[in-house]
Amino acid sequence: MESRLKVLGHPVHPMLVMFPVALLVVGTLFDIVDTVGGPDFLGEVAYWNITVGLVGGLLAAAAGTFDLLAIPAGTRAKRVALTHAAANVAVILLFAAVWVVRLNADSRAAGGALIAIEVVGVAILGVSAWLGGELVDRLGVGVDREAGLDAPSSLRPPAATQRIGDVR
């Protein structure tokens, strides 16, 4: 099933997911290091990583919704995609709760309970990332129907729209 939302021939959702995954994981790691005695600025950096990770997660979710809605009902792909989406909503809600608590706090540093929530969020994120891989690698969601080892560049128009005499 080919992705519904593309830029220059490539699906948008996989382009966006790497940012929130990386930012939320690194934010959690920075909070852990800050808590065990790392430099004081890491709590602030972690807060901003989480902030940008949440924005990126919302953008990735919006792009992923296009593909989710195109998956036929009653398929394994639909079940996996709904689980993937639900896990990502849980991650966004957990990190949003952490963000709200830290928003107006005297210090942007996280304490033990907030870090525990972040670790749970990262664990769920890991499961969700695996489910995303299952959707693409095993179930072919978001994969171009002309995909193959010798497929033409995505910047070239499909064969049906090429003029006679054009060389691939």
Side-chain angles (χ1 to χ4, degrees), residues 28-96:
T28 301
L29 291 174
F30 282 0
D31 274 337
I32 291 169
V33 172
D34 179 52
T35 301
V36 298
D40 290 340
F41 70 88
L42 284 183
E44 182 79 20
V45 174
Y47 170 82
W48 287 107
N49 275 359
I50 290 169
T51 302
V52 178
L54 286 169
V55 172
L58 294 173
L59 292 172
T65 300
F66 283 89
D67 290 338
L68 173 65
L69 295 174
I71 299 172
T75 62
R76 178 168 178 265
K78 188 68 156 196
R79 291 188 304 275
V80 171
L82 288 170
T83 305
H84 172 68
N88 286 330
V89 168
V91 169
I92 293 295
L93 291 175
L94 288 170
F95 276 96

Side-chain angles (χ1 to χ4, degrees), residues 113-141:
L114 293 180
I115 291 175
I117 293 169
E118 291 176 19
V119 169
V120 168
V122 166
I124 295 169
L125 186 59
V127 171
S128 181
W130 183 87
L131 290 170
E134 184 78 357
L135 284 164
V136 174
D137 293 337
R138 294 291 293 163
L139 299 170
V141 173

Side-chain angles (χ1 to χ4, degrees), residues 97-124:
V98 168
W99 181 82
V100 167
V101 169
R102 295 167 80 170
L103 178 64
N104 293 318
D106 292 335
S107 167
R108 294 278 169 84
L114 293 180
I115 291 175
I117 293 169
E118 291 176 19
V119 169
V120 168
V122 166
I124 295 169

